[in-house]
Amino acid sequence: MDQPLLQRDSGPGCCSCRMLKAWLPILSWLPKYTLKWLQMDLLAGLTVGLTTVPQALAYAEVAGLPVQNILGLQDIPHEFFPQVYYTFYKIPEAQIGDVVLGLLCVALLVMLMSMKTSLGSGDDAPTFSRVARRFVWAVATMRNALIVVAASFCAFSWEAYGRHVFTITGETSQGLPPFRPPPTSDTTANGTVVTFGEIVEDFGGGLAVIPFMGLLESIAIAKAFARQNNYRIDANQELLAIGVTNILGSFVSAYPVTGSFGRTAVNSQTGVCTPAGGIVTSVIVLLSLAFLMPAFYYIPKASLAAVIICAVAPMVDYQVVAKMWQIHKLDLLPFTVTFLMSFWQVQYGIIGGVALSGALLMYTMARPQIKMSHQGVLLIQLASGLSFPAAEHLSHIIHTQALQESPPHSVVLDCHHVSVIDYTVIHELSDLLRQFKRQDVCLILSGLQPNVLEILLAADLEGLRYADGVETALQMGSGNLNL
């Protein structure tokens, strides 16, 4: 997930071997592994590892501790609107050291990010220039780790002189977490036992939102990098990887994880060749847990907040709004509803966006584009399929344009685009046929696909006529041709 995957081996082999390779991709790339791949994977794994550790610390702050995400303010609510209100309300309480350090870290991170973006390929540059470019690129790629380390040294220096200028991370558990089944109850600081049912209740809509969002994020990231690197992804394999990872992670008290856009981008830019780069990253993270946790004591929370801000800000895609406006303006409605309701709660934003998208889809199905012309009879051409939401709308048009005219017109319904028909449509046709019979006009369906014609014949609608083409149907409706 955090690295581009090689194309699956499509060579000959037994079905069981191909299925095994589908479930275990390592069987596809490991037999062909080369020394060059090892060098690239080591570089990519090291780079991503140095990015992952400070980011993980920052996200752990978000997941497990009260909101602090750069001003050094305390006791800020988690909800968005109260959070904004109390942030501005408590601005006078902001710690100058945290503000200065946080803004400085953001500025340095943005500068390094801009330097990396502005670097060209440098293939035609002198050797010294190419070396300098690679050095700058490496520094910019590892910017998160370097900024956190520099901020930690700064905080340590002040603490050594007894000056508590910054809000620091403090004690962090050292060593690898114990491997044990996830707890089914919890005990608060005052000794209150929280049951499993209460834990589930506290999760609320997150139980559905977290897996759904995780899957969407991982698939979107995988597809984006698959297009860039010319390989295909297996959505089932992505889902399997996410599920297994989070199940195993629950045994070591890990928070839910998915694919990471930022770390995948770093992996791709460093030229990773196989998922072995992820193994190197994992080793770095485990070594950090085992031996470096005491050093994390002095990490300023303002620097972690800067990492979060600079990691999330590039994910805001402003251009997508302009693209929606150009391509299909109606798509802006669910986008806007989801965006605004997410400030209330993310799950409400998703539910609102899905509900509105469903309503728009139903409206499109219920109001298909219809082209009408009078050629002695009323010719109705459907631009899309015909299903139960559109049945009443079509019936209304036929009534007003044909049966309520004086004299009433026969109707030819061009069904070239109708690939499926349901009971509601057949029932509506049956009612129409009775009214057509009373007014001595006919209803003719033309261009029916074989499966639709078979259903209609089985329904045995009395008085319904069929024609192969529109011209034949028009002649039948005008009385110039009879079946």
Side-chain angles (χ1 to χ4, degrees):
M1 293 178 293
D2 283 355
Q3 61 280 324
L5 297 177
L6 296 175
Q7 287 186 345
R8 263 207 317 252
D9 186 11
S10 57
C14 64
C15 181
S16 59
C17 292
R18 289 196 296 270
M19 186 178 297
L20 190 60
K21 289 180 178 180
W23 287 93
L24 298 172
I26 190 173
L27 300 178
S28 298
W29 56 264
L30 188 58
K32 300 179 292 184
Y33 204 72
T34 64
L35 182 60
K36 182 179 180 180
W37 287 1
L38 177 61
Q39 295 173 344
M40 299 302 295
D41 287 343
L42 283 173
L43 174 62
L46 178 63
T47 305
V48 176
L50 293 177
T51 302
T52 298
V53 172
Q55 271 193 347
L57 283 172
Y59 287 130
E61 287 285 309
V62 175
L65 296 177
V67 178
Q68 304 270 346
N69 284 354
I70 202 171
L71 303 177
L73 299 177
Q74 305 290 333
D75 300 324
I76 302 295
H78 285 271
E79 294 77 14
F80 176 76
F81 294 108
Q83 187 179 119
V84 173
Y85 171 77
Y86 280 101
T87 296
F88 284 100
Y89 180 77
K90 292 191 173 187
I91 281 292
E93 301 177 16
Q95 299 189 25
I96 301 301
D98 287 331
V99 174
V100 173
L101 180 63
L103 294 178
L104 181 61
C105 288
V106 169
L108 290 173
L109 286 169
V110 171
M111 182 186 70
L112 290 173
M113 194 184 310
S114 301
M115 290 174 60
K116 181 178 179 179
T117 304
S118 62
L119 287 177
S121 61
D123 294 335
D124 55 347
T127 303
F128 177 77
S129 298
R130 289 200 300 270
V131 172
R133 285 173 182 268
R134 290 176 180 174
F135 174 76
V136 172
W137 183 89
V139 171
T141 300
M142 295 183 290
R143 59 186 177 274
N144 289 336
L146 297 178
I147 291 297
V148 170
V149 169
S152 301
F153 275 115
C154 181
F156 174 77
S157 300
W158 283 100
E159 291 286 330
Y161 286 99
R163 303 285 184 88
H164 304 292
V165 179
F166 311 112
T167 304
I168 58 177
T169 300
E171 290 289 344
T172 308
S173 300
Q174 183 177 2
L176 301 179
F179 189 86
R180 59 190 177 193
T184 56
S185 63
D186 193 15
T187 304
T188 62
N190 60 5
T192 303
V193 177
V194 183
T195 65
F196 181 74
E198 292 173 329
I199 294 176
V200 173
E201 185 178 352
D202 287 340
F203 272 111
L207 283 175
V209 172
I210 292 173
F212 183 67
M213 291 295 293
L215 176 61
L216 289 181
E217 181 186 32
S218 293
I219 296 298
I221 293 169
K223 285 187 174 181
F225 284 92
R227 286 193 297 268
Q228 291 183 12
N229 297 281
N230 299 317
Y231 64 91
R232 294 183 60 82
I233 67 163
D234 185 344
N236 291 331
Q237 179 63 34
E238 293 291 321
L239 183 58
L240 175 66
I242 295 171
V244 171
T245 300
N246 283 294
I247 289 174
L248 293 178
S250 68
F251 285 84
V252 290
S253 303
Y255 55 75
V257 296
T258 63
S260 165
F261 191 90
R263 291 191 292 273
T264 305
V266 172
N267 237 354
S268 179
Q269 292 165 4
T270 48
V272 69
C273 295
T274 71
I279 299 176
V280 179
T281 299
S282 302
V283 170
I284 293 175
V285 172
L286 291 175
L287 289 176
S288 299
L289 281 172
F291 303 109
L292 299 181
M293 296 311 286
F296 295 163
Y297 179 92
Y298 294 101
I299 295 180
K301 291 186 177 182
S303 65
L304 297 181
V307 170
I308 289 289
I309 292 171
C310 293
V312 173
M315 296 183 183
V316 180
D317 188 0
Y318 302 99
Q319 297 179 350
V320 70
V321 178
K323 290 179 181 177
M324 287 183 186
W325 180 262
Q326 293 173 357
I327 297 172
H328 193 214
K329 296 180 178 61
L330 207 58
D331 287 339
L332 286 172
L333 280 178
F335 174 86
T336 304
V337 168
T338 303
F339 178 75
L340 294 178
M341 290 186 69
S342 293
F343 287 121
W344 182 13
Q345 282 194 21
V346 174
Q347 55 265 38
Y348 295 154
I350 294 174
I351 292 172
V354 169
L356 184 55
S357 297
L360 292 175
L361 180 61
M362 290 295 293
Y363 180 81
T364 303
M365 296 174 63
R367 295 293 184 271
Q369 293 184 356
I370 296 176
K371 182 179 179 181
M372 293 182 294
S373 60
H374 289 272
Q375 304 181 26
V377 298
L378 178 63
L379 173 61
I380 298 179
Q381 295 175 300
L382 298 172
S384 59
L386 179 60
S387 56
F388 76 91
E392 187 171 346
H393 177 62
L394 180 63
S395 177
H396 175 73
I397 290 177
I398 292 175
H399 271 88
T400 56
Q401 298 294 325
L403 297 180
Q404 293 179 7
E405 292 293 316
S406 182
H409 303 298
S410 295
V411 175
V412 172
L413 190 60
D414 185 1
C415 299
H416 280 96
H417 295 291
V418 178
S419 59
V420 65
I421 197 167
D422 55 33
Y423 174 79
T424 306
V425 175
I426 292 177
H427 187 270
E428 200 68 36
L429 287 175
S430 178
D431 288 342
L432 284 172
L433 286 170
R434 285 194 291 270
Q435 299 176 52
F436 271 79
K437 185 178 181 180
R438 284 197 297 266
Q439 302 199 42
D440 199 26
V441 289
C442 59
L443 175 62
I444 306 167
L445 304 185
S446 68
L448 288 169
Q449 297 186 21
N451 62 315
V452 177
L453 179 59
E454 183 179 351
I455 294 173
L456 288 171
L457 291 175
D460 192 21
L461 297 175
E462 183 181 355
L464 186 61
R465 295 187 179 185
Y466 309 97
D468 291 335
V470 174
E471 293 298 328
T472 303
L474 290 174
Q475 294 180 31
M476 291 170 57
S478 61
N480 297 327
L481 182 65
N482 291 316
L483 274 179

